[in-house]
């Protein structure tokens, strides 16, 4: 691995026949401050930006590597060891949260200190089919392995390298480091489902409730988990933007969601096939008949107890989505006021 890293470290630009691709980057969906100055680096690098499971990723042959070269301003946190055969520092994913490409027996993780680069090397062929389908799409750098520099935009590069050191493909992009975290942030998650299951891009029939609840992690000011939030009916007079419903926090803790007395923290922007009716996003109901609000949903028991498996997950909001009357794509966008947004895709297919 060290020899491979040294072979490619000095390449300022790839050979002219090597594909040059745009590298999209974003803060990871499991933390609120992974892109904030002075905080632990927690980013995703989207080698294949289409998160639809129907869109193919790619595989690696035994001996091939992915080399993620970070700018020197991103300092290694030497108190955290680099683990070669666990996903502590880095993991490859299939393009959706908690959708890891299995590491054990397939690839190993290393660090090239001279190049300030994380190097992932295939221990055996890592095909884009079977259990790995649809293939590698994203690198997730995590585990407090690095510390973010001062705010700014920093160039970053990923090389796909053959076992003989030949560069097969190159991605180039930028990492944006912020001065401070936003006052509100959300990110998609599948922690409420078994590992590997994806709630986005579900296929249903018209009028059907999607079998998996959509999942989001919500954060408020100073990165506090935003709990007790659920979906209330829309109020187009006060919030004309949110055509698919309101995100309301039960601020008086009466178990009900009333936009007039509780706190409206965001909403849903609906998008459906023209003429469709009946589509709806709602909060699930618990066994006791009460709404299941954010912070009350349990992280799936298949996750280790030490990682929160089987326990209520702070800030985790689940949404039950029902497709409308017509076939086509339903794309509800969930947004926090003063924060960001995420768009889900549900495809209704005619019977």
């Amino acid at each position: 691995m060290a020899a491979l890293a040294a072979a490619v470290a000095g390449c300022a630009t790839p050979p002219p026949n090597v594909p040059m691709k745009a590298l999209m980057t974003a803060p990871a969906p499991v933390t609120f401050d992974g892109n904030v100055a002075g905080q632990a680096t927690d980013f995703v690098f989207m080698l294949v930006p289409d998160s639809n499971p129907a869109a193919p990723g790619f595989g690696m042959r035994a001996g091939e590597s992915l080399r993620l070269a970070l700018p020197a301003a991103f300092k290694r946190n030497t108190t955290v060891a680099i683990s070669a055969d666990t996903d502590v520092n880095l993991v490859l994913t299939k393009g959706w949260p908690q959708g890891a490409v299995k590491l054990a027996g397939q690839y190993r993780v290393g660090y090239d200190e001279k190049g300030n680069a994380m190097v992932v090397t295939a221990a055996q062929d890592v095909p884009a089919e079977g259990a790995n389908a649809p293939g590698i799409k994203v690198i997730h750098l995590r585990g407090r392995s690095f510390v973010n520099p001062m705010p700014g935009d920093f160039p970053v590069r990923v090389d796909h390298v053959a076992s003989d050191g030949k560069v097969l493909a190159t991605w180039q992009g930028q990492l944006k480091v912020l001065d401070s975290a936003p006052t509100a942030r959300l990110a998609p998650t599948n922690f409420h489902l078994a590992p590997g299951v994806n709630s986005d891009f579900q296929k249903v029939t018209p009028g059907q409730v999607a079998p998996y609840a959509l999942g989001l992690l919500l954060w408020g000011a100073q990165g506090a988990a935003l709990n007790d939030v659920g979906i209330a009916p829309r109020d187009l007079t006060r919030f004309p933007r949110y055509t698919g419903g309101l995100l309301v926090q039960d601020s008086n803790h009466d178990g009900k969601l009333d936009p007039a007395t509780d706190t409206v923290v965001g909403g849903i922007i609906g998008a459906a096939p023209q003429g469709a009716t009946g589509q709806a996003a709602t909060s699930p109901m618990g066994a006791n008949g009460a709404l299941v609000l954010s912070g009350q949903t349990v992280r799936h028991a298949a996750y280790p107890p030490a990682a929160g498996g089987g326990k209520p997950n702070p800030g985790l909001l689940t949404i039950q989505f029902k497709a409308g009357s017509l076939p086509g794509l339903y794309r509800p966008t969930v947004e926090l006021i003063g924060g960001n947004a995420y768009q889900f895709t549900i495809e209704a297919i005619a019977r």
Side-chain angles (χ1 to χ4, degrees):
M1 184 177 293
L4 173 61
V8 299
C11 299
T13 58
N17 61 335
V18 172
M20 176 70 73
K21 305 178 183 181
L23 178 63
M24 295 180 61
T25 65
V30 291
T31 58
F32 77 96
D33 60 357
N35 61 335
V36 174
Q39 301 299 318
T41 303
D42 207 339
F43 275 93
V44 290
F45 303 81
M46 291 166 275
L47 308 178
V48 179
D50 190 342
S51 59
N52 189 337
F58 65 94
M60 292 197 297
R61 293 190 177 276
E64 292 182 356
S65 292
L66 289 172
R67 184 175 189 276
L68 168 61
L70 292 171
F74 286 77
K75 302 298 183 184
R76 262 285 290 134
N77 177 9
T78 56
T79 65
V80 175
I82 300 297
S83 175
D85 53 5
T86 70
D87 59 6
V88 169
N89 313 101
L90 179 150
V91 66
L92 304 178
T93 83
K94 305 172 186 178
W96 61 84
Q98 294 80 54
V101 175
K102 187 185 70 156
L103 187 156
Q106 291 204 119
Y107 64 88
R108 294 176 65 82
V109 177
Y111 174 61
D112 167 26
E113 184 175 358
K114 182 177 179 180
N116 202 36
M118 296 295 292
V119 183
V120 177
T121 302
Q124 62 178 39
D125 287 354
V126 184
E129 300 83 29
N132 293 330
I136 300 166
K137 290 189 178 183
V138 174
I139 299 173
H140 180 186
L141 180 64
R142 62 186 185 181
R144 309 190 69 83
S145 309
F146 293 83
V147 177
N148 292 331
M150 296 296 289
D153 294 317
F154 299 87
V156 64
R157 170 174 161 173
V158 175
D159 289 320
H160 183 186
V161 185
S163 58
D164 62 1
K166 178 183 178 182
V167 179
L168 302 174
T170 291
W171 294 261
Q172 288 187 335
Q174 285 191 324
L175 288 173
K176 178 176 285 294
V177 177
L178 304 180
D179 179 61
S180 59
T183 56
R185 181 171 181 252
L186 59 74
T189 189
N190 292 301
F191 276 139
H192 57 300
L193 303 173
V197 177
N198 184 22
S199 66
D200 206 354
F201 295 98
Q202 295 182 73
K203 297 182 186 299
V204 299
T205 56
Q208 180 187 2
V209 175
Y212 300 124
L214 311 179
L216 290 159
L217 292 174
L218 309 181
W219 294 276
Q222 286 80 51
L226 199 54
N227 291 325
D228 300 318
V229 175
I231 312 301
R234 64 188 187 180
D235 182 344
L236 297 182
T237 300
R238 295 174 59 200
F239 301 96
R241 175 177 176 81
Y242 298 136
T243 56
L246 297 175
L247 268 63
V248 176
Q249 186 176 40
D250 180 20
S251 51
N252 60 10
H253 305 291
D254 64 357
K256 302 175 182 178
L257 299 178
D258 184 350
T261 56
D262 291 319
T263 305
V264 177
V265 298
I268 300 174
I269 304 163
Q274 185 174 4
T277 59
Q279 58 271 19
T282 57
S283 289
M285 303 287 286
N288 60 357
L291 297 175
V292 179
L293 305 179
S294 64
Q296 299 173 357
T297 297
V298 171
R299 182 177 294 203
H300 197 280
Y303 289 95
K311 303 173 185 176
N313 197 120
L316 174 53
L317 172 72
T318 51
I319 300 172
Q320 181 176 279
F321 187 83
K322 179 184 177 183
S325 58
L326 297 178
L329 297 179
Y330 293 80
R331 288 178 164 150
T333 298
V334 186
E335 180 180 78
L336 286 178
I337 296 172
N340 63 324
Y342 182 81
Q343 183 180 77
F344 290 96
T345 298
I346 297 92
E347 182 179 5
I349 301 172
R351 296 180 179 85

